[in-house]
Amino acid sequence: MSGHRREPRLVHVTADLVILTIRHGVLSVLLVERGNEPFLGRLALPGGFLRGSETLEDTAVRELREETGLETGDFHLEQVRVYSAPDRDPRDTRVITCSYLAIAPDLPAPRPGSDARAASWSPVDKALAPAGALAFDHRRILADAVEQARTKLQHTTVATRFCPPEFTITELREVYETVWGVELDRSNFHRKVVDAPGLLVPTGRRTVGGGRPAALYRAGPATALVPPMPRPSPA
């Protein structure tokens, strides 16, 4: 056993949020313009430091409200992973972050607050482009969360969380197509989701106006998608 004792190092912990929604048919992520150093003026994911007796989930919820004015409400919120690279934050104190994926339908325009100078929705493809240059390691965090969302669409019922309380099968199919970046066979998709146990519950109502009425559904009690939804490769 070594006689040298290593001094403990102070570490700060943060929670970062990848908030996804579909706006105008485009998968979008919420970004904030940083109002403080480091990376003053750069775009980043909303997030902040763990405080007092908070859990990391508490921190994520608080930062969402403080930096954007949005409430978690009916958000789907799940942990993605922890990022602990020593050089991920340029500040003197080491900072480890835990990322969270949040999903909700057609969210409104956010309002900035706290240490964010501006908050806005950005197309995910644009935010992931190297030219976007997100602060810290947020490009990697975003990429990991988007891939987790895409995988969850195969095996769980989370796709319904992108939809309003009542939705058509066409609207659900468009969620898959938007998140995956593919085009799906309409009749095959219809058969799969209608036959999936507990995925959909018919409301008995139909759409009105705008063409042929379509049946409206709400999300069922199932959390797993059985069988899984095949995910085709993007063209």
Coordinates of all heavy atoms in Angstrom, one line a residue, residues 13 20 49 72 74 88 109-110 124 134 159 176 181 212 230:
V13 N -21.1 19.6 -9.6 CA -22.0 18.7 -10.4 C -23.1 19.6 -11.0 O -23.7 20.5 -10.3 CB -22.6 17.6 -9.5 CG1 -23.6 16.7 -10.3 CG2 -21.5 16.8 -8.9
L20 N -36.4 18.2 -26.4 CA -36.7 18.0 -27.8 C -38.2 18.1 -28.0 O -39.0 17.7 -27.2 CB -36.4 16.5 -28.3 CG -34.9 16.2 -28.2 CD1 -34.7 14.7 -28.7 CD2 -34.0 17.1 -29.1
F49 N -25.9 24.3 -11.9 CA -25.2 23.6 -10.8 C -26.2 23.0 -9.8 O -27.3 23.7 -9.5 CB -24.2 24.5 -10.1 CG -23.0 24.8 -10.9 CD1 -22.9 25.9 -11.7 CD2 -21.9 23.9 -10.9 CE1 -21.8 26.2 -12.4 CE2 -20.8 24.2 -11.6 CZ -20.7 25.3 -12.4
T72 N -42.0 21.8 -16.4 CA -41.9 20.5 -16.8 C -43.3 19.9 -17.1 O -43.4 19.1 -18.1 CB -41.2 19.6 -15.8 OG1 -41.8 19.8 -14.5 CG2 -39.7 20.0 -15.7
D74 N -46.1 18.1 -18.3 CA -46.2 16.8 -18.9 C -45.0 16.3 -19.7 O -45.1 15.4 -20.6 CB -47.5 16.7 -19.8 CG -48.8 16.9 -19.1 OD1 -48.8 16.5 -17.9 OD2 -49.7 17.5 -19.6
R88 N -13.6 18.9 -19.8 CA -14.9 19.3 -20.4 C -15.3 20.7 -20.1 O -16.2 21.2 -20.8 CB -16.0 18.3 -20.1 CG -16.3 18.2 -18.6 CD -17.6 17.4 -18.4 NE -18.7 17.9 -19.2 CZ -19.5 18.9 -18.8 NH1 -19.3 19.5 -17.6 NH2 -20.4 19.4 -19.6
A109 N -42.6 29.2 -27.7 CA -41.3 29.9 -27.6 C -41.0 30.2 -26.2 O -41.8 30.6 -25.4 CB -41.5 31.2 -28.4
P110 N -39.7 29.9 -25.8 CA -39.3 30.1 -24.4 C -38.9 31.5 -24.2 O -38.7 32.3 -25.1 CB -38.0 29.2 -24.4 CG -37.5 29.2 -25.7 CD -38.7 29.3 -26.7
V124 N -32.4 20.3 -34.8 CA -31.4 19.5 -34.3 C -30.2 19.3 -35.3 O -29.0 19.3 -34.9 CB -32.0 18.1 -33.9 CG1 -30.9 17.0 -33.7 CG2 -32.8 18.2 -32.6
L134 N -21.4 24.4 -30.3 CA -22.0 24.6 -29.0 C -21.0 24.7 -27.9 O -19.9 24.1 -28.1 CB -23.0 23.4 -28.7 CG -24.2 23.2 -29.7 CD1 -25.0 22.1 -29.2 CD2 -25.0 24.5 -29.7
A159 N -42.8 7.8 -28.4 CA -43.2 8.6 -29.5 C -44.5 9.3 -29.3 O -44.7 10.4 -29.8 CB -43.4 7.7 -30.8
Y176 N -42.3 9.6 -36.0 CA -41.3 8.6 -36.3 C -40.5 9.1 -37.5 O -39.2 9.0 -37.5 CB -41.9 7.2 -36.6 CG -42.2 6.4 -35.4 CD1 -43.4 6.5 -34.7 CD2 -41.3 5.5 -34.9 CE1 -43.7 5.8 -33.6 CE2 -41.6 4.8 -33.7 CZ -42.8 4.9 -33.1 OH -43.1 4.2 -32.0
G181 N -35.8 10.6 -39.4 CA -35.3 11.1 -40.7 C -35.5 10.2 -41.9 O -34.7 10.1 -42.8
R212 N -60.6 14.6 -45.2 CA -61.3 13.4 -44.8 C -61.1 13.3 -43.3 O -60.0 13.3 -42.8 CB -60.8 12.2 -45.5 CG -61.5 10.9 -45.2 CD -60.9 9.8 -46.0 NE -61.5 8.5 -45.6 CZ -61.2 7.3 -46.2 NH1 -60.2 7.3 -47.1 NH2 -61.8 6.2 -45.8
P230 N -39.5 -1.5 -36.3 CA -38.3 -1.6 -37.1 C -37.8 -0.2 -37.5 O -38.6 0.6 -38.0 CB -38.6 -2.4 -38.4 CG -39.9 -3.1 -38.0 CD -40.6 -2.3 -37.0

